[in-house]
Amino acid sequence: DAKTTQPPSMDCAEGRAANLPCNHSTISGNEYVYWYRQIHSQGPQYIIHGLKNNETNEMASLIITEDRKSSTLILPHATLRDTAVYYCIVWNNNDMRFGAGTRLTVKP
Amino acid sequence: DSGVTQTPKHLITATGQRVTLRCSPRSGDLSVYWYQQSLDQGLQFLIQYYNGEERAKGNILERFSAQQFPDLHSELNLSSLELGDSALYFCASSLDPGLAGLGGANVLTFGAGSRLTVL
């Protein structure tokens, strides 16, 4: 079983922030949280990763709770092109599995 | 262009046949990963190679095999093909700093995939 839990689907209005939650209650101290997205049968695209601190890059922000048991990916101004399946992943070197992800639909 | 090259992009073949999918990793990356994605299904991890050696194995069938060559490119061989093997096959690569003794995050870069259709 994947080590993360995500809602199967979410909607977001264009131009608004999209906040995608993820639970990873069994995460170990040295395991990173990674976020990827997959736009309709394209190869998964890396978005961001973090260990303990909140992170921000040109695509998104990642907020990790202090106990590291959950995180939130924030797309600050969602566009129609952000419609995709978003995967929250916690990997170790022997288990590189993806979960089912969250299907985000950005609506006009 | 992610830097990970997969060939062929599309492949149509018949049941019982054998095919080979090829992956060239991003320059500098030492690990290669293979994933299978059937229609409307999630990404299934098949296998990982690091610097020529198998490092992790997922849900790979016995009819499937893979290898990583000295130049670090990888091939996934699928034999005795069945209708259910029709899928997108993705290759990803990473430096894998953990295995390189550097520590830190292991960010995978994915190719565009090879779409296999078995008729």
Side-chain angles (χ1 to χ4, degrees):
Chain A
D1 292 337
K3 297 178 70 171
T4 61
T5 304
Q6 298 178 254
S9 63
M10 292 180 64
D11 291 341
C12 177
E14 187 178 20
R16 305 296 296 270
N19 298 290
L20 291 91
C22 179
N23 288 322
H24 32 79
S25 58
T26 62
I27 192 170
S28 299
N30 61 350
E31 290 178 330
Y32 286 78
V33 179
Y34 302 83
W35 283 83
Y36 285 75
R37 73 181 182 183
Q38 187 177 24
I39 299 172
H40 187 60
S41 298
Q42 297 179 19
Q45 177 189 23
Y46 164 78
I47 302 173
I48 199 166
H49 72 275
L51 184 62
K52 296 178 183 177
N53 300 322
N54 299 337
E55 303 288 345
T56 295
N57 63 20
E58 65 279 3
M59 290 184 68
S61 294
L62 175 60
I63 308 299
I64 303 174
T65 58
E66 191 170 344
D67 63 7
R68 299 210 326 124
K69 293 185 177 182
S70 67
S71 61
T72 301
L73 178 75
I74 301 172
L75 307 179
H77 304 287
T79 71
L80 299 179
R81 288 176 295 180
D82 291 322
T83 292
V85 178
Y86 287 78
Y87 299 97
C88 167
I89 306 156
V90 173
W91 278 326
N92 60 46
N93 278 337
N94 295 316
D95 184 1
M96 312 300 289
R97 285 179 290 180
F98 282 71
T102 295
R103 182 174 296 277
L104 175 69
T105 302
V106 181
K107 298 186 174 181
Chain B
D1 183 6
S2 67
V4 178
T5 303
Q6 291 189 245
T7 57
K9 286 186 170 51
H10 301 278
L11 188 56
I12 301 174
T13 189
T15 54
Q17 295 298 304
R18 171 190 170 96
V19 299
T20 298
L21 308 180
R22 181 187 170 103
C23 171
S24 294
R26 202 177 55 150
S27 177
D29 285 351
L30 300 177
S31 271
V32 170
Y33 310 77
W34 287 97
Y35 289 84
Q36 178 194 53
Q37 187 172 39
S38 302
L39 186 64
D40 293 330
Q41 297 295 313
L43 287 149
Q44 299 294 320
F45 169 62
L46 297 179
I47 199 164
Q48 176 200 2
Y49 282 84
Y50 175 80
N51 208 18
E53 293 190 5
E54 182 183 308
R55 296 299 302 193
K57 193 177 262 192
N59 302 319
I60 189 166
L61 300 173
E62 287 191 7
R63 299 184 287 106
F64 296 0
S65 65
Q67 61 183 123
Q68 185 180 29
F69 293 87
D71 66 353
L72 300 178
H73 91 273
S74 178
E75 293 181 357
L76 178 66
N77 300 298
L78 315 174
S79 62
S80 302
L81 285 168
E82 302 175 358
L83 297 178
D85 298 327
S86 296
L88 275 167
Y89 292 84
F90 290 105
C91 168
S93 73
S94 77
L95 172 63
D96 212 327
L99 290 174
L102 300 174
N106 185 28
V107 176
L108 272 62
T109 301
F110 282 79
S114 292
R115 182 178 294 277
L116 172 67
T117 302
V118 182
L119 301 175

